[in-house]
Amino acid sequence: MKFTLGWLKTHLETDAGIDSIARALTDLGLEVEEVIDRAAALAPFTVGHVLEASRHPDADRLTVCIVDTGADRVQVVCGAPNARAGMKGVFAPAGVRIPGTGLDLKKSVIRGVESAGMLCSAREIGIGEDHEGIIELADDAPIGAPAAAVLGLDDPVIDVAITPNRGDCLGVHGIARDLAAAGVGALIPLAAEAVAGGFENPTGVAFDFTGETADACTLFAGRAIRGLKNGPSPDWLQQRLLSVGLRPISALVDITNFLTLDRARPLHVFDADKIAGDLTVRLARQGETLLALDGKAYELDPSMTVIADESGVLSLGGVIGGETTGCTGQSVNVFVEAAFFDPVRTAATGRKLNIESDARYRFERGVDPASTLPGIEAATRLIVELCGGEASEVTVTGAVPEVTATIRFEPRRVMALGGVDVAEEECRRILEALGAETSPMNGAIEVRVPSWRPDIEGEADLVEEVLRVYGYDRIPAVPFAKVGVLSKPVETPVPRRRRRAARALAANGMVEAVTYSFLAEAHARLFGGGDPRLRLANPISAELTDMRPTLLANLIVACGRNADRGSPDLALFEVGPAFADDTPDGQRAVAAGVRAGASGPRHWLAPARAVDVFDAKADALIALGAAGAPAASLQVTPGAPAWYHPGRSGAMRLGPKVVLAHFGEIHPRILRALDVKGPICGFEVFLDSIPPSRKRDGKARPALGASPFQAVERDFAFVINTDVGAEAVVRAAQSADKKLIAGVSVFDQYGGKELGAGKKSIAISVRLEPAEATLTEAEIEAVSAKVIAAVNKATGGVLRS
Amino acid sequence: MEDLDQLRNEFLAAVAGAEDLESLEKVRVSVFGRKGLITERMKGVGALAPEERKAAGVALNAVKQVLADAIDARKAAFEDSGLEVRLENERVDVTLPARPIGEGRIHPISQTMDELLAIFGEMGFTLAEGPDIEDDFHNFTALNIPEEHPARQMHDTFYLPGGPDGARKLLRTHTSPVQIRHMQKAPPPHRIVALGRTYRCDSDITHTPMFHQLEGLVVDGHTHMGHLKGCLIEFCRAYFEVDDVPVRFRPSFFPFTEPSAEVDIGCKRSGGRLKIGGGDDWLEILGCGMVHPKVLANCGIDAGKFQGFAFGLGVERIAMLKYGIPDTRTFFESDLRWLSHYGFAAGDVPSMTGGLAR
């Protein structure tokens, strides 16, 4: 909402300067976004009088002018065709920066003639586009006076952000009222005298609503004005509109625009000669259309409030007028409308038809219904004053609706809720200054909320009104005490797992990314997604349509983008949500990561290799470990969802049902579909599937039980069928003697032909830790035999000879 | 005994003159060998009269010891210099790069969220969670944002088709629905923060369709706006690590709080750089207010007995301000160069006692 200081002062009697007004506005909750002080920018430019003008001796197009600047007489070489003796222009002395060019003006010699300044065009001083000639000021402009004042630009523009609850401040008068309440000045009441009607209004107005839809329009005032002339509006009005960025059109249009901005009162003026018969205010009928003032045709439906005549719809109530009855320069007889339209319907209509208008903006934020009749009088006064003509009597249909409440208010609530003690007297003063009526009511105040504040609904709203006028800065800050002396952990288990997994993966050399929760439908389908329930109804682009079924797709695409930028080898991870359906339970907390290209940079010591499934497996284990999964109980089974390499992928499980992770190389077909070069391996860890840790003994760990006796390592190589997993051999060996065997590790795998078709060899190292005495050779032999037997029983493996 | 002295001097000279281990060994053999001079002399001592024998033995042993020490010392010297020669030959170029270690990074959003948790955890808040896919009730209606209210249009909402029951689903436009879910689940008092992804169908230089918010909620019998100011001033100072950062509360409007405020921090802009604290400029960083009585009522809480405050802020925004990140869109581009530059080391875990940011 823009207005000028001068405009404000037509509603507020004040000596306050622009800075203190701006501060007060922000303190009141009318946030000042910008103060545009054009006078300050134009301060060095003054009125200059051209005393003499002669042709430049060496250039036909240049004029040598002697300019009286008030302080001095200076010679200026000017290139404008309209430079001539006797005129007054905008003079810029040397040393000034010219806003239109951004250049500093210097004393110079132009083709042998000295020039000590400049006479400026509108474009040069940044107030317009005109560069055909220099600005010509009025003959009576005082020589040496600031040009801004003479140009009418010395009125600073204030731009405030009005929150959606403050429809009353979408007019300058409402803003002035707030400022007056805050002590910045005295509110000047709006002129109230009515214009007497000279004849009966010839256009009848009727409501056509049912009981249910009667609130669509509850009040409609209209009157005719005949015999007027709709020319351009006077300077003062044009200036007002121009100063806030509106283009003057004609007196009638300018008057309605002015009143909309001045007092937040939308109005509409019909060309009465184009209205056929009487008016009906009703809901639109299915199939009706309106050619609106913005030149577009709109299809209406029965949720929309319209003003119609016998020929059909003329205008959309509270939203936009129609082209056919719009005022033109030829209009002689008009019909002026001021009404109160239902905010909700007006908002819905505007949104459905995608019409942004000043009227809609105000009606949906709450127009003061009590301003309807004063509004039509103000409009009439201005029309008759500026366009002439004779006004009819006002026809009022409906009545001013009751839109605001009467609230019981206890001043002590200001302290209880607001934390600052404001005396009852001051509370009443503030509320009354804002237009409320207050009266004592056994220990409390009865507050009658003014008709322009439908946003004030309860006691808490009144507390806010008192506080914002009294000043938020006067609320003392109170230390916010803890509940106990020490704080408890802030996180619940799943967020803690997310954070720990992220830190562990980063410590393992992976770089965390945060990617969008949505992706292209085609990408979703590649990863088991594409459920229509997870497709956005209004995506911002075709690339971001579906809620992601996995984190991998975005990470793989990110790998591709980085490869295009010259970083093909990288390790990215993300911790975030994946979506199986649109319910809260369908959202899973996932840690996922990918490694692409080579395992590391080319290096003189450590030759790089292609990333593979075992990189992904290690990453998955790190994330699981950090998240607190029971590592010892994890089982790895071959195979993972279809986006993984079928032979180089696996799942980590707790029992047959609970899958904690998938890992593997990404299927080449997926990479091709995503247009990303491989190899890429990846993993997904399902953090909320990890069971909570059991705290049998609190935080205490079991006793260490380190043995003082020599530990022994024995190696075995077993020949097994290729479809048997190494993990089965390890588990079998481990189970051979749980007391003695402290660890089993795989140190080699071999698949030579001599083993026979379908066979491979797995070499393990078994570590024996005796607890009671050093092992004898016989005891070691006995354990070895048990290991061999156990592996053979579990896997069919035999010792390789 | 003179010849003994002479003998000693001769042999010491020979030890000193030995050029390598081999010639030293020859010297040793010539003294201590089976036919060595000292060995011979020792045999001779046995032939002396008992009274002379003792003195001669002592003298001879002394010489023997001296010579043995000299040979050992010379031998150690030869061995040392041999080691040195070998080590000299093992010299490498230590300016060559070390074995590569993958350098991981934590995203600035995660880091900032950890910082926020560290601060609010210290103030006794706990983390509450809610789903990203919400419904109208939790995201709007319960928060006193009626249908067709301009405030609802302010939230450019992403919608999903919803189920067969016709209930439309949406992507939460703020983290405030977590407040509602939390208050519905348990009776007051409440002191929670919610952190997470939020969505608005908006995309330009300062907006991305997804961003992150922090939400705070306190509900009890007595907390008022003075506490709200105390809490948030403390937060601003802790987060920006500027003890005297000016904090300003301005009246504003949110449908779910009454009274409502926006919070600005003081800053200074010069030379294209932004400095938090001091200066004469203000930067808006969060919105807050006292929980609207209707919101409490919508969650079944008696607004006559309970009250409290709520606040919300944009995680990207405060990360950008603190760490000088210029463009919000870059957070989600997964550009390795950006992540490496603005990201954080895994070990830089923020805590109030250990320090927030390095």
Side-chain angles (χ1 to χ4, degrees):
Chain A
M1 168 80 192
K2 281 184 181 173
F3 57 93
T4 68
L5 182 59
W7 194 341
L8 176 68
K9 285 186 174 179
T10 64
H11 293 277
L12 184 72
E13 211 178 299
T14 182
D15 298 327
I18 183 76
D19 291 341
S20 57
I21 287 175
R23 203 172 318 122
L25 286 169
T26 294
D27 287 347
L28 279 162
L30 308 173
E31 187 189 358
V32 173
E33 300 213 300
E34 200 181 1
V35 173
I36 309 147
D37 189 354
R38 293 169 298 176
L42 295 178
F45 299 87
T46 55
V47 177
H49 188 203
V50 181
L51 300 174
E52 294 166 30
S54 53
R55 225 178 67 187
H56 189 290
D58 292 325
D60 284 352
R61 296 202 178 160
L62 298 179
T63 310
V64 179
C65 302
I66 303 299
V67 180
D68 179 2
T69 68
D72 207 354
R73 288 183 176 197
V74 297
Q75 179 172 287
V76 172
V77 177
C78 182
N82 61 332
R84 61 180 190 279
M87 74 172 294
K88 284 179 176 169
V90 176
F91 172 73
V96 162
R97 171 157 296 186
I98 304 300
T101 62
L103 299 175
D104 290 330
L105 187 60
K106 287 189 191 120
K107 224 176 225 183
S108 58
V109 177
I110 299 171
R111 297 227 183 160
V113 178
E114 262 189 37
S115 184
M118 182 167 154
L119 289 163
C120 306
S121 71
R123 196 208 289 174
E124 280 160 344
I125 62 168
I127 62 162
E129 282 309 301
D130 188 7
H131 194 53
E132 291 297 299
I134 53 175
I135 297 170
E136 296 194 34
L137 298 173
D139 290 343
D140 60 354
I143 298 165
V150 176
L151 288 164
L153 296 174
D154 57 343
D155 193 7
V157 178
I158 304 167
D159 189 2
V160 290
I162 303 295
T163 51
N165 58 327
R166 293 302 304 277
D168 65 310
C169 284
L170 294 172
V172 180
H173 188 73
I175 291 172
R177 185 189 297 112
D178 261 30
L179 283 168
V184 178
L187 184 68
I188 301 170
L190 292 170
E193 29 346 325
V195 179
F199 60 100
E200 197 185 320
N201 175 22
T203 309
V205 177
F207 285 168
D208 179 12
F209 295 111
T210 64
E212 230 170 76
T213 60
D215 61 348
C217 177
T218 38
L219 173 63
F220 189 103
R223 88 188 321 169
I225 301 177
R226 66 187 180 195
L228 56 72
K229 187 176 180 311
N230 183 23
S233 54
D235 265 0
W236 71 265
L237 181 49
Q238 295 208 8
Q239 244 347 300
R240 284 269 181 273
L241 298 179
L242 282 169
S243 66
V244 298
L246 277 188
R247 195 163 53 88
I249 292 165
S250 69
L252 289 173
V253 177
D254 294 355
I255 287 166
T256 56
N257 283 340
F258 170 72
L259 288 172
T260 300
L261 296 172
D262 193 60
R263 46 177 81 182
R265 168 29 78 182
L267 298 149
H268 188 62
V269 181
F270 298 83
D271 187 327
D273 294 332
K274 296 170 188 163
I275 300 176
D278 288 341
L279 297 179
T280 308
V281 187
R282 57 167 169 86
L283 296 180
R285 299 180 185 121
Q286 197 66 49
E288 281 185 316
T289 57
L290 173 71
L291 179 62
L293 279 170
D294 59 6
K296 293 181 196 158
Y298 294 98
E299 289 210 17
L300 312 181
D301 72 41
S303 69
M304 304 169 179
T305 311
V306 300
I307 295 139
D309 67 0
E310 285 163 9
S311 71
V313 175
L314 302 183
S315 115
L316 264 172
V319 180
I320 197 165
E323 182 72 43
T324 56
T325 51
C327 290
T328 65
Q330 280 75 52
S331 300
V332 176
N333 302 310
V334 299
F335 180 84
V336 185
E337 163 218 315
F340 184 73
F341 296 102
D342 170 36
V344 171
R345 282 190 177 81
T346 313
T349 301
R351 193 169 50 81
K352 241 187 240 177
L353 301 179
N354 198 17
I355 301 172
E356 310 269 355
S357 69
D358 283 339
R360 171 200 166 185
Y361 195 76
R362 282 165 179 75
F363 272 113
E364 67 185 16
R365 283 162 174 76
V367 161
D368 176 7
S371 75
T372 311
L373 296 171
I376 201 166
E377 295 298 347
T380 310
R381 268 198 310 276
L382 277 170
I383 293 172
V384 171
E385 188 187 319
L386 303 184
C387 307
E390 188 192 3
S392 78
E393 288 163 354
V394 177
T395 304
V396 177
T397 311
V400 178
E402 199 66 27
V403 293
T404 51
T406 298
I407 301 165
R408 188 188 138 90
F409 172 60
E410 291 184 42
R412 61 167 194 87
R413 288 295 295 159
V414 177
M415 179 64 216
L417 203 58
V420 64
D421 220 344
V422 182
E424 176 168 346
E425 216 177 83
E426 176 68 355
C427 291
R428 288 184 67 170
R429 185 200 69 75
I430 289 170
L431 294 173
E432 283 173 8
L434 293 173
E437 290 164 25
T438 69
S439 50
M441 181 178 128
N442 50 19
I445 307 173
E446 190 184 66
V447 180
R448 175 89 193 82
V449 177
S451 58
W452 55 84
R453 292 299 303 274
D455 61 301
I456 298 179
E457 296 173 315
E459 202 174 33
D461 302 292
L462 293 173
V463 170
E464 178 176 85
E465 292 306 303
V466 169
L467 286 175
R468 74 182 178 87
V469 174
Y470 184 76
Y472 276 15
D473 55 335
R474 292 164 79 183
I475 301 171
V478 180
F480 183 64
K482 288 187 188 184
V483 179
V485 174
L486 293 176
S487 299
K488 296 215 163 118
V490 62
E491 291 166 312
T492 45
V494 172
R496 184 180 303 184
R497 286 175 200 163
R498 285 201 302 255
R499 188 166 54 81
R500 294 198 171 166
R503 295 274 166 194
L505 290 167
N508 187 40
M510 302 192 87
V511 175
E512 189 184 18
V514 176
T515 73
Y516 289 138
S517 300
F518 19 61
L519 36 55
E521 182 191 340
H523 291 185
R525 289 193 183 285
L526 292 174
F527 293 85
D531 182 342
R533 281 175 308 164
L534 289 172
R535 185 155 313 132
L536 297 176
N538 53 340
I540 58 158
S541 87
E543 305 301 306
L544 304 171
T545 56
D546 285 44
M547 299 309 288
R548 62 186 186 188
T550 173
L551 283 57
L552 285 178
N554 286 344
L555 290 172
I556 293 169
V557 171
C559 286
R561 274 202 308 270
N562 279 293
D564 293 344
R565 293 186 200 111
S567 305
D569 309 325
L570 74 167
L572 290 178
F573 76 94
E574 178 171 9
V575 181
F579 302 87
D581 60 48
D582 63 0
T583 66
D585 290 338
Q587 179 172 335
R588 309 181 84 179
V590 181
V594 291
R595 289 180 185 265
S599 60
R602 291 206 302 168
H603 192 271
W604 67 282
L605 260 182
R609 53 168 179 79
V611 296
D612 63 30
V613 53
F614 295 105
D615 291 311
K617 185 178 180 184
D619 294 336
L621 286 170
I622 281 167
L624 280 170
S633 321
L634 286 178
Q635 291 158 296
V636 176
T637 56
W643 49 92
Y644 290 99
H645 185 307
R648 294 187 172 188
S649 61
M652 295 181 186
R653 298 168 187 274
L654 284 177
K657 281 191 187 148
V658 181
V659 174
L660 296 189
H662 289 134
F663 64 93
E665 294 172 23
I666 304 299
H667 201 296
R669 201 183 303 123
I670 298 285
L671 296 180
R672 201 164 57 234
L674 296 175
D675 195 21
V676 177
K677 263 200 195 143
I680 293 182
C681 65
F683 70 90
E684 296 160 282
V685 166
F686 309 109
L687 294 170
D688 35 20
S689 299
I690 298 172
S693 65
R694 277 170 294 173
K695 288 191 228 162
R696 262 169 310 192
D697 301 312
K699 302 285 182 185
R701 295 169 188 211
L704 170 60
S707 165
F709 303 104
Q710 178 83 45
V712 178
E713 299 228 357
R714 279 289 179 276
D715 294 348
F716 305 84
F718 291 98
V719 176
I720 53 176
N721 290 338
T722 44
D723 60 356
V724 176
E727 193 176 281
V729 176
V730 171
R731 281 189 193 280
Q734 221 143 21
S735 68
D737 188 330
K738 287 194 170 131
K739 253 173 93 181
L740 262 181
I741 296 177
V744 180
S745 59
V746 176
F747 66 88
D748 197 16
Q749 176 193 237
Y750 176 68
K753 274 188 197 137
E754 70 274 23
L755 298 174
K759 297 283 183 189
K760 66 180 175 184
S761 158
I762 293 288
I764 58 172
S765 173
V766 177
R767 182 178 172 86
L768 308 172
E769 285 182 4
E772 276 131 33
T774 306
L775 291 173
T776 64
E777 205 47 47
E779 285 166 326
I780 296 171
E781 282 307 316
V783 177
S784 295
K786 278 204 256 178
V787 167
I788 293 163
V791 170
N792 180 262
K793 191 174 168 217
T795 70
V798 293
L799 210 55
R800 191 175 162 197
S801 47
Chain B
M1 297 308 277
E2 268 170 31
D3 63 326
L4 199 56
D5 280 345
Q6 193 190 338
L7 182 70
R8 187 185 69 174
N9 291 342
E10 275 172 19
F11 277 107
L12 284 178
V15 168
E19 281 169 1
D20 51 25
L21 278 174
E22 210 177 315
S23 49
L24 183 67
E25 180 62 10
K26 277 185 189 149
V27 176
R28 193 192 65 80
V29 171
S30 70
V31 181
F32 296 112
R34 213 148 43 85
K35 298 248 162 96
L37 281 169
I38 295 288
T39 318
E40 291 296 325
R41 287 272 182 133
M42 287 302 259
K43 286 180 193 158
V45 170
L48 291 176
E51 56 274 26
E52 287 172 11
R53 201 187 293 165
K54 192 178 177 191
V58 168
L60 195 57
N61 268 333
V63 172
K64 187 179 165 188
Q65 189 59 47
V66 167
L67 291 178
D69 286 351
I71 288 170
D72 281 352
R74 187 78 182 141
K75 195 172 171 190
F78 279 131
E79 278 167 359
D80 267 1
S81 72
L83 183 63
E84 262 156 38
V85 168
R86 198 185 92 214
L87 296 186
E88 186 57 39
N89 289 332
E90 287 171 3
R91 185 174 283 274
V92 295
D93 174 5
V94 294
T95 67
L96 280 166
R99 280 181 187 80
I101 293 170
E103 258 204 75
R105 276 286 184 257
I106 288 290
H107 195 284
I109 291 176
S110 295
Q111 184 77 10
T112 303
M113 296 206 294
D114 285 354
E115 290 185 32
L116 295 173
L117 280 181
I119 297 168
F120 286 109
E122 194 79 2
M123 292 195 219
F125 286 83
T126 53
L127 185 68
E129 294 216 284
D132 292 23
I133 299 177
E134 268 294 359
D135 50 43
D136 265 339
F137 176 77
H138 289 94
N139 196 74
F140 290 125
T141 314
L143 287 157
N144 192 33
I145 313 176
E147 186 85 29
E148 295 307 343
H149 190 277
R152 190 181 285 205
Q153 313 313 321
M154 274 160 57
H155 293 216
D156 303 301
T157 311
F158 281 116
Y159 287 100
L160 295 161
D165 55 346
R168 174 172 71 159
K169 297 282 185 131
L170 50 83
L171 299 187
R172 65 179 180 193
T173 57
H174 47 184
T175 39
S176 307
V178 183
Q179 286 184 21
I180 303 297
R181 288 182 181 273
H182 187 80
M183 286 191 280
Q184 284 178 323
K185 226 167 9 194
H190 299 298
R191 192 179 281 209
I192 54 149
V193 285
L195 263 170
R197 296 175 172 225
T198 51
Y199 309 85
R200 297 196 190 172
C201 48
D202 201 354
S203 187
D204 59 36
I205 184 150
T206 53
H207 296 89
T208 49
M210 183 185 92
F211 55 103
H212 294 72
Q213 275 194 347
L214 167 97
E215 184 88 8
L217 173 75
V218 176
V219 175
D220 56 28
H222 64 275
T223 293
H224 58 56
M225 277 188 91
H227 300 106
L228 169 63
K229 282 181 86 169
C231 171
L232 293 181
I233 290 171
E234 200 84 17
F235 158 71
C236 290
R237 293 181 177 164
Y239 174 74
F240 288 106
E241 303 182 64
V242 178
D243 283 342
D244 55 355
V245 65
V247 182
R248 173 173 86 169
F249 288 73
R250 273 186 292 111
S252 189
F253 168 73
F254 305 106
F256 31 90
T257 50
E258 193 73 38
S260 305
E262 279 182 338
V263 181
D264 300 335
I265 52 166
C267 66
K268 189 152 77 189
R269 291 167 218 264
S270 66
R273 298 284 296 183
L274 178 77
K275 186 176 168 285
I276 303 293
D280 47 9
D281 226 339
W282 294 98
L283 261 178
E284 180 190 324
I285 60 155
L286 53 82
C288 62
M290 301 301 293
V291 182
H292 200 295
K294 286 186 183 173
V295 174
L296 294 173
N298 288 339
C299 299
I301 295 175
D302 181 351
K305 282 191 195 151
F306 294 101
Q307 63 180 45
F309 63 72
F311 56 87
L313 59 83
V315 175
E316 286 83 355
R317 177 163 171 78
I318 61 161
M320 288 164 79
L321 291 175
K322 183 167 182 177
Y323 294 111
I325 303 172
D327 185 345
T328 172
R329 292 169 302 183
T330 55
F331 280 87
F332 308 107
E333 285 172 358
S334 309
D335 184 332
L336 192 61
R337 299 164 301 182
W338 189 94
L339 296 169
S340 302
H341 181 77
Y342 289 112
F344 292 80
D348 285 347
V349 181
S351 85
M352 288 309 289
T353 46
L356 279 187
R358 192 145 47 144

